[in-house]
Amino acid sequence: MLDIPSPVRVHLEALLAAQNDMGVCDAIEHYAPAGKPSAMNAPHLPKVAGIDSTVPPPAHTVPPTAQTTPAAAVPEDAPALTAPGAVLQDRLAGWVSDLTTLHELTERLARTATLDEALRELLRAGAALVGARRGLVVVEPADGLGPDTTVGLGLGRADLGHLETVPRGATSYGRILDAVEGRPGGVPDEIAQPDLLAEDGLDPRQREVAARLGFAASYAVALATGTGSRIGAAVWLYDEPAEPTERRRHLVGLYARHACEHVARLIELDRVRAADHTLREELMPSRLPRVAGVQLAARHRTGPRGGGDWHDALPLPDAALGLAVGSVTGSGPSAVAAMGRLRASLRAYAVMEGEDPVAVLSDLELLLRLTEPARSATALFAYCEPALRKVVLAGAGHSPPLIVGERRTEFVETSLSAPLGMLACWEAPSVEISPEPGETVLLYTDGLLYRTGEAMDRAFARLHAAAASVPKGSRDDPGAIADHVLHTVLPDGLDAVDSDEDVVLLAARFE
């Protein structure tokens, strides 16, 4: 607050006129006394509008303070005078309150980590700023790369469906999104419809939907980044005819400019995540083959950074079946790409000489050493003849498979071997097993053991106990066996574990 000496008196109308002509700061300088004030103090300004209220009250709510001149000193016919300090305090308090509100709203927005969270926070904050109760935001990036989505505030899925039945050109967000830059009118920054039902030429379907949903006015703003790239539009709906004041429009405009930058970053992040997910899904088998005499099920969960674990099942000549699991060192896109190359190579070697798993892994090791000299990998390949219930397998630094049946639950005794790429020449003997009818061979990657957070011997013991505890009614379904093992080994779930490790389970039940 500015403590201006009492001898300085300014008529209210003159001060307001000066503010409009030259700005508040120039008006203060113009009407300030030439000498130094006798006293200056700056008490904490009262907070007029707060973030916690549903709709912030107008900033200028402090009534002008009357001049405290003794009645005897003021003639009865003198015009009413107001101390300039009270007017300036009122305006400064409003500005401080607005800045505080915007600061708190943008801090809330900055804490959102996903696109959906950010859009919902944008709607809530905008509704508080413009004094509305409901709204929706439509995201349609101008580059056409997506994601295209619609999020509502106070509107259910059915309500959004009703709004989508309105012709796009009749909606305020449609006019914003479909406007073309360079044409007369350009892209509107805002569209206010203070009384929808009273508008001439209102689309009949829009009138019907407005009556059904119970809104009578709307206010829409364009969402665009600082570079002018359009990302969508936000619309807030009023239950009664209404229109935001100039102050509210200014505040929501400032907030929307900041929110658009944050939303644009989340859109880019969402695109990267979607592309990475699509890449990993395409590198993994989209479905498992159907081979007589065996049932297959797979569970694959990639870590947050993207890893190089994979599984595969491919039909081979003479009604045989090849099963493989493996893991490439590292994480991120480079590991995913290396995993794709290694998996494709293994498929080729399996088709040519799958009946000899040692030869398959030897060829794979040579390829890895020549093409990926700085990378190593573990792998296990099994050549299965379902009609004979015969499995020949070999592993390179990989954990042994687990046989799950009614009479036994045991690990397959495989020979110890180094991972691929660790030795000048890899070779290890293969192992042959004969599962009984109804038994399941469970192949997995080390990520399942690492995610337990325990020493390897205890992790193996937990895995064995989980497989042994499969309910009898679930032993006929390899998918149910895989799910039971996952939920037992990791009771808190895959998402609750703080680990970057991938998890792969491949179950083959022999009939």
Side-chain angles (χ1 to χ4, degrees):
M1 181 178 70
L2 298 176
D3 188 7
I4 300 177
S6 59
V8 180
R9 298 179 181 177
V10 182
H11 196 278
L12 176 61
E13 295 180 356
L15 177 61
L16 295 179
Q19 292 176 196
N20 293 331
D21 294 338
M22 66 185 70
V24 176
C25 295
D26 293 336
I28 295 174
E29 181 179 358
H30 179 77
Y31 286 101
K36 183 179 180 180
S38 58
M40 294 290 290
N41 55 57
H44 181 70
L45 296 177
K47 184 175 180 181
V48 179
I51 184 64
D52 292 332
S53 58
T54 304
V55 180
H60 313 302
T61 57
V62 180
T65 305
Q67 179 77 15
T68 57
T69 306
V74 181
E76 294 182 358
D77 58 347
L81 298 178
T82 303
V87 177
L88 296 177
Q89 178 185 2
D90 177 33
R91 292 189 176 275
L92 289 175
W95 296 334
V96 171
S97 175
D98 290 345
L99 291 175
T100 302
T101 299
L102 288 175
H103 175 69
E104 294 178 354
L105 287 174
T106 52
E107 276 194 336
R108 285 188 180 183
L109 180 68
R111 288 193 291 267
T112 59
T114 64
L115 179 61
D116 185 74
E117 291 177 357
L119 296 178
R120 295 186 185 280
E121 179 60 32
L122 185 154
L123 281 176
R124 285 192 292 266
L129 291 174
V130 303
R133 187 172 63 88
R134 294 178 290 174
L136 69 153
V137 58
V138 181
V139 176
E140 290 184 10
D143 56 13
L145 301 179
D148 296 343
T149 184
T150 301
V151 176
L153 173 68
L155 298 171
R157 183 173 300 179
D159 298 333
L160 294 176
H162 287 304
L163 290 171
E164 290 177 353
T165 63
V166 178
R168 185 180 174 93
T171 62
S172 54
Y173 68 83
R175 298 206 295 271
I176 290 176
L177 295 176
D178 296 338
V180 178
E181 296 182 1
R183 290 187 178 180
V187 179
D189 293 330
E190 60 177 2
I191 297 178
Q193 295 178 296
D195 193 350
L196 274 171
L197 301 181
E199 289 186 4
D200 296 333
L202 184 67
D203 186 87
R205 180 56 185 168
Q206 188 176 18
R207 184 185 302 273
E208 179 183 350
V209 171
R212 176 188 291 270
L213 301 184
F215 65 90
S218 68
Y219 178 69
V221 297
L223 301 179
T225 62
T227 59
S229 178
R230 188 207 73 202
I231 60 177
V235 185
W236 290 278
L237 306 176
Y238 297 89
D239 297 341
E240 302 292 339
E243 185 177 3
T245 63
E246 186 65 26
R247 165 184 165 266
R248 290 179 180 270
R249 291 187 181 191
H250 179 65
L251 288 178
V252 78
L254 292 175
Y255 176 78
R257 282 198 290 273
H258 174 82
C260 287
E261 300 298 332
H262 181 67
V263 170
R265 288 191 292 269
L266 291 178
I267 287 176
E268 290 298 324
L269 181 60
D270 191 73
R271 289 175 176 177
V272 172
R273 288 173 175 170
D276 182 65
H277 177 75
T278 301
L279 175 63
R280 290 198 304 268
E281 289 297 322
E282 291 298 324
L283 290 175
M284 290 292 101
S286 57
R287 59 181 180 178
L288 298 174
R290 293 184 178 182
V291 179
V294 66
Q295 294 176 314
L296 301 175
R299 300 292 183 266
H300 187 180
R301 179 64 61 89
T302 304
R305 297 171 55 190
D309 287 16
W310 87 87
H311 69 275
D312 203 355
L314 66 156
L316 297 175
D318 301 327
L321 175 69
L323 300 177
V325 292
S327 176
V328 175
T329 56
S331 61
S334 62
V336 174
M339 175 268 290
R341 293 190 293 268
L342 206 63
R343 175 178 170 270
S345 300
L346 187 143
R347 291 175 68 92
Y349 297 145
V351 171
M352 292 186 295
E353 48 191 5
E355 67 278 359
D356 186 357
V358 172
V360 172
L361 294 184
S362 296
D363 293 342
L364 192 65
E365 193 274 337
L366 178 60
L367 177 70
L368 182 68
R369 182 154 44 88
L370 295 176
T371 60
E372 307 274 351
R375 196 182 299 274
S376 63
T378 66
L380 187 146
F381 178 74
Y383 178 80
C384 307
E385 296 180 84
L388 304 176
R389 292 195 303 278
K390 175 183 176 182
V391 179
V392 181
L393 59 90
H398 208 82
S399 299
L402 186 62
I403 298 179
V404 182
E406 293 185 2
R407 299 180 180 179
R408 61 172 176 171
T409 300
E410 60 186 23
F411 290 103
V412 177
E413 294 185 3
T414 57
S415 59
L416 296 177
S417 174
L420 302 176
M422 298 293 290
L423 300 177
C425 181
W426 179 92
E427 187 171 349
S430 59
V431 176
E432 181 178 329
I433 59 175
S434 299
E436 297 293 332
E439 290 187 334
T440 299
V441 177
L442 190 65
L443 283 65
Y444 54 93
T445 58
D446 294 340
L448 177 62
L449 305 174
Y450 290 139
R451 284 208 177 208
T452 63
E454 299 180 346
M456 291 303 290
D457 56 343
R458 299 188 62 181
F460 275 113
R462 176 183 287 194
L463 175 59
H464 184 276
S469 65
V470 174
K472 185 176 180 179
S474 301
R475 293 182 182 272
D476 294 338
D477 183 1
I481 294 176
D483 291 335
H484 176 84
V485 169
L486 275 178
H487 296 157
T488 306
V489 174
L490 303 174
D492 295 331
L494 290 170
D495 296 330
V497 179
D498 185 14
S499 175
D500 293 336
E501 297 290 339
D502 295 0
V503 174
V504 169
L505 279 176
L506 179 60
R509 180 182 179 274
F510 291 84
E511 299 176 352

